[in-house]
Amino acid sequence: MAKLFSTKLTHVSPVWYDLKSDGNKLVLEGQHNYDAGWVSELQRNASLVVPRVVLEAFPGVVLLKKKPRDKTIDLIVSECRDKGYDGIVLESWSRWSAYGVLDDPKLRKLALQFVKQLGEALHSISSKLSTSNHLELIYVIPAPRMEGLNNQDFGPDDLLQLADSVDGFSLMTYDFSGPQNPGPSAPLKWIQYSLTTLLPAKDSASHGYSHMIFLGINFYGNDFLLSKGGAGSSITGRDFIHLLEKYKPSLQWDDKSSEHFCIYSDEGVRHAVFYPTLMSISVRLDEAQDWGTGLSIWEIGQGLDYFFDVL
């Protein structure tokens, strides 16, 4: 999919790397995933290849001690140099949240400083493909929930603090619902709330950064069991086609969330399926265009081929 639709994709992020603590050492796992031919073909088609690095390393080590912090950054920068990448996508916020880092003002400040330091290190290395002429850092951020900001949230102040050191923010506007609360993946009102929260009043300083937001669009869906315990699993385009062929449910449009869904029964158990359609994607593309944001698709192999027609 990346090769087929590369002309529509400014960046492609293979999910290849984890940076972990191994005893006293820091290790970048995932080098074996590297596919030189695939990377160079995408780059020839002018897509930037920016692999995802998930920062699994214990934050007490990476954030509090200078030597391991510098080592972490060096591992990432060296891998970019060795493999000829155009930068990386960093995912760390959710891990820091789980470790309680974001509830401690001192650690939270150090966490933001780490992202800045990494961004500055990547920016110090030139890149021929990038329009900014240096290696890029895209930072993954959670979408604010709909009940006011707390420490776990990435807010407008955080965005302003990192804006000079990163090249974009991949905003995870999906996974709104889960098995315990079956429903849409990304209600339109939630997307609007997230953007309004991160980019307040149109004339404020942060609104000028809308071009740095990559609005998350899911190409996967969910199949929820509507039974008491609640259960469910994510589904790909292939799974969705199989469900339509087997159960022949009718698609219904939910005005409230601006998503399609269908209901079917299997062995007496009712299921609700939410899966993107051209219409639901188009509504979100319009929203992104209104705000002047980019898009971040999770993920391109999970959709239906014709989703790319509307991009």
Side-chain angles (χ1 to χ4, degrees), residues 27-217:
V27 185
L28 185 64
E29 291 185 357
Q31 277 111 324
H32 64 280
N33 290 316
Y34 172 64
D35 181 337
W38 183 79
V39 169
S40 60
E41 186 173 339
L42 287 178
Q43 289 174 329
R44 277 198 304 275
N45 292 338
S47 292
L48 302 186
V49 178
V50 286
R52 184 185 68 171
V53 177
V54 179
L55 191 60
E56 301 272 11
F58 185 57
V61 175
V62 173
L63 299 179
L64 290 170
K65 298 176 182 169
K66 184 183 186 309
K67 210 171 171 185
R69 184 168 66 242
D70 292 347
K71 176 67 176 169
T72 302
I73 290 167
D74 184 53
L75 281 169
I76 292 170
V77 172
S78 297
E79 187 69 3
C80 287
R81 272 191 168 137
D82 294 348
K83 304 290 197 292
Y85 297 137
D86 303 295
I88 66 149
V89 171
L90 179 70
E91 187 166 330
S92 65
W93 198 262
S94 58
R95 301 304 186 277
W96 288 339
S97 175
Y99 275 114
V101 166
L102 305 174
D103 289 320
D104 180 317
K106 183 190 169 194
L107 283 175
R108 202 178 191 284
K109 192 175 176 186
L110 288 170
L112 289 165
Q113 279 173 359
F114 170 82
V115 179
K116 288 178 84 154
Q117 191 181 332
L118 174 60
E120 283 155 13
L122 288 165
H123 288 177
S124 70
I125 296 165
S126 61
S127 158
K128 288 178 192 143
L129 268 185
S130 167
T131 51
S132 49
N133 300 317
H134 54 59
L135 295 185
E136 295 193 6
L137 173 60
I138 312 287
Y139 192 55
V140 178
I141 58 173
R145 302 307 279 187
M146 294 187 78
E147 60 269 353
L149 288 177
N150 61 33
N151 291 333
Q152 311 297 318
D153 288 313
F154 186 92
D157 292 344
D158 301 318
L159 186 146
L160 287 171
Q161 206 172 326
L162 295 184
D164 291 340
S165 312
V166 309
D167 300 274
F169 298 95
S170 181
L171 177 63
M172 296 190 288
T173 35
Y174 35 75
D175 285 344
F176 183 81
S177 305
Q180 303 307 318
N181 60 328
S185 302
L188 187 61
K189 278 196 169 65
W190 176 48
I191 290 173
Q192 291 164 338
Y193 170 81
S194 298
L195 290 169
T196 306
T197 302
L198 280 170
L199 306 165
K202 293 257 196 271
D203 55 352
S204 76
S206 59
H207 191 75
Y209 296 107
S210 60
H211 66 282
M212 294 183 72
I213 301 281
F214 294 97
L215 182 69
I217 303 275

Side-chain angles (χ1 to χ4, degrees), residues 265-307:
S265 290
D266 180 52
E267 295 180 1
V269 179
R270 292 174 81 230
H271 292 240
V273 174
F274 286 82
Y275 189 79
T277 57
L278 291 184
M279 187 166 166
S280 70
I281 294 170
S282 296
V283 168
R284 282 147 186 79
L285 294 187
D286 289 345
E287 196 66 33
Q289 217 155 14
D290 286 349
W291 282 87
T293 72
L295 301 173
S296 174
I297 297 164
W298 182 270
E299 43 110 314
I300 58 174
Q302 295 175 337
L304 297 169
D305 293 8
Y306 77 157
F307 285 177

